[in-house]
């Protein structure tokens, strides 16, 4: 069974631009969660989608948004990029509600550099 | 919300020695505690997990223990090998404050010297 895939793997943007990242979960998984990983802040939860609905949201500004499609694929968007948005963005999928005794499987991440 | 503290932040051991990483959590209702290994350039990979109704779980050289009363859990790696070198993360989820998401520790960089 194929793992979680994320595209693109690397991205360079400039301040003020917007970016869209994509995640394809493991086949059959309906929950997709997004995390931001930075050296100083570790892994920070962004949001979780289950059956096309946002079920949980972390403490990030409204510039960070996401959505999930009927095939469980998910996208996250960051508008008006800031230098501090430079990070590794990780997507994780699970069969049901992520975190409720559910194992999450991570993708390789998208490394975003904001100049 | 849930808070997970992980110690130590860095750990260096000789090949063949044991390594222990400890985590504490704040939400007593948390019921699922996975451990992830992250190698350079890759996403975190699950190596072992434990649920709140179990005190200990072992998988070959890796074991995890859970003390619900003290709200802490630990990862034990025996007979370490150079390929065990990576960043290890603990996480807690399923509790009252974090149902539907995982809260991660800050990670431990393990270096195994040949």
């Amino acid at each position: 069974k194929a793992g979680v895939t994320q595209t693109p793997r690397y991205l360079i943007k400039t301040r003020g631009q917007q970016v869209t990242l994509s995640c394809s979960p493991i086949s059959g998984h309906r929950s997709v969660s997004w995390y931001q990983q930075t050296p100083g802040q570790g892994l920070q939860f962004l949001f979780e989608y289950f059956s096309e609905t946002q079920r949980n949201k972390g403490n990030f500004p409204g510039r960070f948004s996401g959505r999930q499609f009927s095939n469980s694929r998910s996208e996250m968007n960051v508008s008006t990029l800031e230098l501090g948005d430079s990070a590794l963005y990780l997507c994780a999928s699970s069969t049901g509600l992520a975190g409720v005794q559910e194992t999450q499987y991570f993708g390789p991440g998208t490394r975003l550099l904001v100049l | 919300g849930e808070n997970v503290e992980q110690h130590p932040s860095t750990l260096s051991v000789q090949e063949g020695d044991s390594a222990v990483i400890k985590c504490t959590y704040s939400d007593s209702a948390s019921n699922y505690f996975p451990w992830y290994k992250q190698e350079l350039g890759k996403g975190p990979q699950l190596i072992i997990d434990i649920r709140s109704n179990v005190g200990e779980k072992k998988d070959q050289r890796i074991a995890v223990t859970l003390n619900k009363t003290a709200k802490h859990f630990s990862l034990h790696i025996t007979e370490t090998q150079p390929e065990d070198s990576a960043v290890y993360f603990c996480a807690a989820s399923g509790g009252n404050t974090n149902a539907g998401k995982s809260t991660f520790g800050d990670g431990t960089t393990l270096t195994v010297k040949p």
Side-chain angles (χ1 to χ4, degrees):
Chain A
K1 187 182 276 190
V4 178
T5 58
Q6 292 187 245
T7 56
R9 291 293 312 278
Y10 304 93
L11 208 48
I12 299 176
K13 293 285 188 179
T14 56
R15 280 183 299 172
Q17 288 187 309
Q18 67 92 27
V19 66
T20 299
L21 312 180
S22 181
C23 170
S24 292
I26 291 172
S27 178
H29 284 192
R30 297 169 62 191
S31 172
V32 173
S33 297
W34 288 89
Y35 294 85
Q36 181 195 65
Q37 185 175 30
T38 59
Q41 297 297 317
L43 274 153
Q44 300 291 315
F45 174 77
L46 280 155
F47 28 66
E48 180 217 357
Y49 286 87
F50 178 75
S51 293
E52 303 179 66
T53 301
Q54 187 181 88
R55 301 301 293 266
N56 287 284
K57 190 176 188 304
N59 297 321
F60 279 81
R63 301 185 296 107
F64 292 82
S65 63
R67 60 177 175 169
Q68 187 179 34
F69 302 95
S70 58
N71 61 357
S72 294
R73 189 177 70 86
S74 177
E75 289 181 346
M76 67 162 282
N77 184 275
V78 187
S79 62
T80 319
L81 284 166
E82 300 177 358
L83 296 179
D85 296 334
S86 295
L88 180 68
Y89 289 88
L90 292 160
C91 162
S93 78
S94 63
T95 55
L97 275 178
V100 183
Q101 296 215 3
E102 283 282 346
T103 298
Q104 291 183 294
Y105 297 89
F106 282 85
T110 294
R111 186 163 296 280
L112 171 65
L113 177 61
V114 181
L115 301 176
Chain B
E2 171 72 283
N3 183 48
V4 176
E5 294 189 358
Q6 182 171 347
H7 299 280
S9 57
T10 60
L11 180 59
S12 182
V13 300
Q14 288 293 137
E15 182 178 359
D17 287 350
S18 295
V20 180
I21 303 170
K22 299 180 179 180
C23 288
T24 60
Y25 59 98
S26 60
D27 187 349
S28 57
S30 288
N31 53 23
Y32 178 59
F33 307 93
W35 285 90
Y36 293 90
K37 174 183 181 182
Q38 187 174 25
E39 297 175 317
L40 204 59
K42 297 182 180 180
Q45 299 299 308
L46 180 76
I47 56 172
I48 196 167
D49 57 12
I50 192 166
R51 302 177 195 278
S52 58
N53 58 347
V54 175
E56 184 174 359
K57 183 177 179 181
K58 189 174 181 180
D59 182 5
Q60 299 183 343
R61 297 186 296 108
I62 296 173
V64 57
T65 58
L66 171 64
N67 184 326
K68 289 173 57 180
T69 302
K71 291 189 285 187
H72 69 71
F73 55 112
S74 300
L75 176 70
H76 305 253
I77 305 174
T78 59
E79 301 173 18
T80 53
Q81 301 167 4
E83 51 265 40
D84 293 330
S85 296
V87 180
Y88 291 82
F89 292 94
C90 64
S93 64
N96 294 326
T97 57
N98 65 355
K101 67 180 184 182
S102 294
T103 302
F104 286 80
D106 288 340
T108 296
T109 300
L110 173 64
T111 302
V112 180
K113 300 178 180 178

